[in-house]
Amino acid sequence: MYTFLRNLMFQLEPEKAHYFAMNSLQMGCRFAPIKKIIQQNCSYNHPKLEKKLWGLTFKNPVGLGAGFDKNAIYLGALDCLGFGFVEIGTVTPKPQSGNEKPRLFRLTKDKALINRMGFNNDGVVAIQERLAMWRNKTNTKHPSNLIVGANIGKNKDTPNEEASLDYCLCFNSLYDTADYFVLNVSSPNTPGLRALQEKEALREIVSKVQNANYGKTKPKPILLKIAPDLSNQAIDDIIELAEQTQLSGLVVSNTTIGRETLLHTSKAQIDAIGAGGLSGAPLYQKSNTILSYVATQTQHRLPIIGSGGIFTGEQAVEKIKMGASLIQVWTGFIYEGPGIAKNICKTILQSE
Ligand SMILES: Cc1cc2nc3c(=O)[nH]c(=O)nc-3n(C[C@H](O)[C@H](O)[C@H](O)COP(=O)(O)O)c2cc1C
């Protein structure tokens, strides 16, 4: 059934298909009988899937990665699809429209995507209001145990030297409404952003956000999302910093700028697409290498959210065995469809 729908969707330009599919799902979920059918077909609940981490209870360890619901519009619908958690964002202080379109490309033969979205989002004020409204609704009319993380970043026109101000502003604005935070310094599509992964630049951002966090009555978990293209030395520096600043964990990993993986898509097509982050199947091994390195170096002390190329339950289990406490899908959702969380949950349960 999904193969048929996917073939239809793939006739549309990728970004249009994304919004068309999500708006349709969201609309469907407004009608109780349709919502029930979707929930019955897509979610899979079992007490053994529950995961307690950072004082939060995840109903299952399968999340949706940042960038899918950048503006916190689709949380109700995503909850119906059985995800244990959704990471909204990347949110920046001011709204921004992102890079010129087209900026999202399918590499169908490779089960991959290339994107150079550039942090298009409605800005922290609008997103905070939307998230607060959703919280309000779930506290009254529609209870939900979906965990919502906020992935935060800096505006394109904020110089790197002032980046910590943007991260602090987003953190403070979303503090009351998000369950956990991810500092995104690893997207390839904001010029210079990845330079913030360098030791001293990162220390400035992380320590300022942690200062703000520890000034609150109940500090929230703060994680850092890293690129899969880092050297071992750079990862060692990040681990050291994460331990010194008491980060709650790492998200491993973001998309890759590398094109060294053998792709079925022709070089001419790849060149024509141009710059951007590659995600999906070709990212799986590369993100696993980094995940495994981080887990070994930290002796599994630092919780990891495993992200990169997960399509099946077996792949999720492999990441968990390597050291991930939770996992996230993104590109796999596009190719495998709305049953992905349920399928992965079933396999995780069987593997226990
Ligand atoms: C279109 C698109 C937009 C994305 N936007 C963001 C983003 O705003 N912030 C972020 O941290 N990651 C973003 N990501 C990265 C994903 O969250 C995820 O880490 C990455 O795609 C690897 O997982 P996958 O192979 O399962 O897709 C984006 C990915 C895609 C495909």
Side-chain angles (χ1 to χ4, degrees), residues 243 291-304 319-325:
E243 285 172 347
L291 196 165
S292 169
Y293 183 77
V294 172
T296 309
Q297 293 296 97
T298 58
Q299 294 169 335
H300 295 255
R301 281 193 311 266
L302 194 62
I304 298 170
K319 284 214 198 255
I320 291 168
K321 284 194 175 145
M322 281 179 179
S325 304

Side-chain angles (χ1 to χ4, degrees), residues 15 19 70-71 90-92 94-104 115-123 154-157 187-191:
E15 209 174 329
Y19 289 110
K70 287 177 185 278
N71 295 311
T90 297
V91 182
T92 58
K94 290 178 289 178
Q96 54 181 37
S97 53
N99 290 324
E100 214 177 291
K101 294 178 187 171
R103 53 193 179 180
L104 176 58
N115 90 83
R116 52 168 172 273
M117 306 300 287
F119 289 175
N120 54 308
N121 77 106
D122 291 344
K154 74 164 195 78
N155 279 114
K156 186 178 174 183
D157 61 6
S187 281
N189 305 312
T190 294

Side-chain angles (χ1 to χ4, degrees), residues 64-68 70 87 89-91 103-104 113-117 119-120 151 182 184 186-187 189 225 251 253-255 277-281 283-284 307-311 328-333:
L64 185 63
F68 200 98
K70 287 177 185 278
E87 199 170 298
T90 297
V91 182
R103 53 193 179 180
L104 176 58
L113 297 170
I114 289 179
N115 90 83
R116 52 168 172 273
M117 306 300 287
F119 289 175
N120 54 308
N151 180 303
V182 175
N184 182 9
S186 51
S187 281
N189 305 312
K225 185 164 180 178
V251 182
S253 71
N254 214 315
T255 55
L278 174 67
S279 61
L283 180 60
Y284 183 65
S307 158
I310 301 177
F311 286 66
Q328 290 177 329
V329 296
W330 206 123
T331 307
F333 183 26

Side-chain angles (χ1 to χ4, degrees), residues 2-3 5-6 42 81 83 311 329-343:
Y2 182 68
T3 313
L5 273 180
R6 188 184 63 194
C42 297
L81 298 185
F83 290 105
F311 286 66
V329 296
W330 206 123
T331 307
F333 183 26
I334 303 297
Y335 284 91
E336 298 296 310
I340 191 165
K342 180 177 184 170
N343 291 340

